[in-house]
Amino acid sequence: LKPFRLPRRGWQGRPRAGAAAVWPASRPASQGMPSRDDDDDEERADLAARVKQLQRDSDEGKQQWWSFCDAEGYSNRRDPNRHTAEFLRRFFDARRDGRIPAGRSAAAPPHEVDPEMHKSLVTRVKQVQRSSPEQKEQWERYCDLHGGGVRDPQRHDSTYLRRFFDEVLTGEPLPVANGSAICGAGACGG
């Protein structure tokens, strides 16, 4: 006999009042055993985690993922958790074989005047998101209201990112291209 394993989702509740929680004495061999779908879900989750780590580790890895998604017609779906295991496998195969098409630079939007300032603001937004669940929620709410639901700071220009800091996270000076600061809501004195 093979050992019994609960499905990934586990047992979803308690028995109804008055009902006994009895496990059947005999069950078909397939009941309770992971199906091919369970294996795919686990593999997909593992592959998605690898893609996310690749994106965190380097701008090149992030650009490869974005380029692959764009080439496959998924420029609006870059969250690896929203792709199938088969799609994620194809990405890693293409990456291994050097078949990922060159795409646009992930450094800044094409109309960005100061790409270094953009990179600095993107980094700052990411730090804000990691600092607390409340601040992450503020970013998400701001993006939903003013950014068409696009929550990736890389996809917004510097003006949008500065406005977020100025309107939502008041009290911190905002860097600008000439090295001075823009102050919001009484920050920087005065």
Side-chain angles (χ1 to χ4, degrees):
L1 285 174
K2 293 182 181 178
F4 174 73
R5 187 175 110 193
L6 283 174
R8 266 182 83 112
R9 290 170 290 285
W11 187 43
Q12 297 294 319
R14 299 178 185 266
R16 286 173 287 150
V22 177
W23 200 257
S26 65
R27 65 184 192 279
S30 64
Q31 185 179 353
M33 298 305 293
S35 68
R36 178 71 182 134
D37 289 341
D38 288 338
D39 290 343
D40 281 348
D41 285 348
E42 287 183 29
E43 180 185 17
R44 187 195 55 72
D46 291 342
L47 290 168
R50 284 179 55 199
V51 170
K52 285 182 174 276
Q53 188 60 50
L54 177 69
Q55 291 181 82
R56 280 194 284 285
D57 288 346
S58 73
D59 285 337
E60 179 186 2
K62 183 176 189 173
Q63 181 56 43
Q64 286 178 333
W65 171 247
W66 284 19
S67 294
F68 185 77
C69 290
D70 291 349
E72 296 288 317
Y74 291 104
S75 60
N76 63 339
R77 189 191 309 173
R78 292 195 173 126
D79 180 354
N81 287 314
R82 296 181 60 205
H83 290 282
T84 64
E86 191 270 332
F87 184 87
L88 298 168
R89 280 192 299 269
R90 282 189 301 145
F91 166 70
F92 282 109
D93 290 345
R95 186 171 187 267
R96 181 193 63 227
D97 299 341
R99 293 183 285 117
I100 297 191
R104 67 175 179 79
S105 170
H111 61 279
E112 190 63 54
V113 176
D114 186 351
E116 284 303 312
M117 177 54 58
H118 181 262
K119 184 176 181 179
S120 171
L121 289 167
V122 167
T123 300
R124 193 162 164 203
V125 168
K126 289 180 178 183
Q127 289 170 341
V128 163
Q129 289 178 298
R130 291 184 192 115
S131 68
S132 77
E134 293 80 18
Q135 289 192 343
K136 180 177 182 179
E137 186 177 314
Q138 285 182 318
W139 168 253
E140 291 172 351
R141 198 171 328 131
Y142 187 80
C143 292
D144 291 345
L145 290 171
H146 304 289
V150 176
R151 294 178 175 177
D152 182 355
Q154 188 72 42
R155 295 175 63 188
H156 293 288
D157 63 17
S158 293
T159 303
Y160 180 88
L161 300 174
R162 274 194 212 103
R163 198 169 52 237
F164 166 72
F165 285 108
D166 195 31
E167 292 177 10
V168 178
L169 298 179
T170 58
E172 291 186 26
L174 301 174
V176 293
N178 66 7
S180 63
I182 298 174
C183 300
C188 302

